[in-house]
Amino acid sequence: MGRLRTFGVVAVLATLATAAAAADMPGASPPPPLQWHPPALLHLDTGWYLRGDLGYSIGTIGSADAAAGFTNPTGNKLGSGLSGGGGVGIKSNWLRTDFTIDSMAPLKYNGTIAAPNDVTAKISAISALLNGYLDLGTWYHVTPYIGAGVGTAYMHVTDYSSALAPPFSGGSHGQWNFAWAGMLGAAYAVAPNTMIDVGYRYINYGDVATASDSFGAMNFKNIAAHEVHVGVRWSFDDLAQR
């Protein structure tokens, strides 16, 4: 047994020595170097998307200025109503940009000169905004965001009525204004290319006047709205990969 053990050890040593000598021989191929593979980059969603939204607008008004020589209304209030719209945008990493067109249904205006709510009108708006958003990360498929937008809005005043301030002939009037907005909300991914968006938007439409008659017009100042909406964002970049 001792000779067999000794013979086995000698055989192993001889094999190792032969392998080392072969590695040092001219023309022998060295073992391949170890390969380093950098870690894969984190994939962030990018691409084009469509959006559609349905919401509820709560109107606000700063003041109402009557024509020169007439009493200004007090207790100015603007009602609430439905709003909705759609748009197209692009997402790049945590930044998004989209262009949206939205419509606000006519909101009822009430003001007081002599008796409660003796001045009335309806004010509606169609806005076109370029918006930018910052997505604040994603947790459990939920992505909160903040954003802002600038653009223009077409304001329309109809059904004006007052016995104490012009225009006594009523009528309707529309005008284009500068508009701006601030947004915040969160989107939930229900599919790889579909997100449900729930958010809040403050949008400022500026001032708008009624139609004028020979006595003048009523000017409504600082028209704005607080809006809550539910919408859908659908990414269509995945179609190019099919």
Side-chain angles (χ1 to χ4, degrees):
M1 290 295 292
R3 291 182 179 180
L4 290 175
R5 184 180 296 110
T6 301
F7 177 78
V9 171
V10 171
V12 170
L13 293 175
T15 302
L16 293 175
T18 302
D24 292 335
M25 290 179 63
S29 299
L34 295 176
Q35 298 292 326
W36 180 80
H37 298 283
L41 295 176
L42 178 63
H43 175 71
L44 300 176
D45 290 339
T46 60
W48 292 91
Y49 63 87
L50 297 174
R51 66 176 301 159
D53 300 274
L54 183 63
Y56 191 75
S57 298
I58 302 173
T60 66
I61 181 172
S63 63
D65 296 344
F70 293 88
T71 303
N72 293 336
T74 60
N76 301 287
K77 296 179 181 179
L78 201 58
S80 56
L82 294 177
S83 59
V88 60
I90 187 169
K91 177 177 171 63
S92 177
N93 297 335
W94 304 118
L95 298 177
R96 288 188 293 115
T97 303
D98 59 31
F99 175 76
T100 56
I101 297 178
D102 297 278
S103 176
M104 181 181 72
L107 306 184
K108 182 69 176 293
Y109 162 80
N110 287 287
T112 298
I113 295 179
N117 304 324
D118 57 0
V119 183
T120 60
K122 291 182 179 179
I123 302 175
S124 61
I126 297 175
S127 63
L129 299 181
L130 180 63
N131 309 289
Y133 309 87
L134 177 62
D135 288 337
L136 304 176
T138 300
W139 295 270
Y140 303 102
H141 304 286
V142 177
T143 304
Y145 63 85
I146 56 174
V150 294
T152 187
Y154 182 74
M155 304 291 294
H156 194 204
V157 180
T158 59
D159 299 344
Y160 177 81
S161 176
S162 174
L164 300 173
F168 299 114
S169 59
S172 66
H173 176 255
Q175 65 186 65
W176 288 96
N177 285 352
F178 172 77
W180 61 273
M183 296 82 76
L184 59 86
Y188 179 76
V190 296
N193 67 335
T194 305
M195 304 190 81
I196 301 297
D197 189 321
V198 179
Y200 161 82
R201 179 173 80 164
Y202 171 83
I203 181 168
N204 190 288
Y205 296 107
D207 305 339
V208 64
T210 66
S212 297
D213 61 12
S214 58
F215 296 96
M218 181 70 71
N219 289 281
F220 300 116
K221 301 289 188 177
N222 197 28
I223 303 298
H226 300 277
E227 299 178 346
V228 292
H229 74 258
V230 177
V232 177
R233 299 205 312 258
W234 179 68
S235 171
F236 55 86
D237 264 17
D238 64 328
L239 297 178
Q241 303 173 6
R242 294 181 180 180

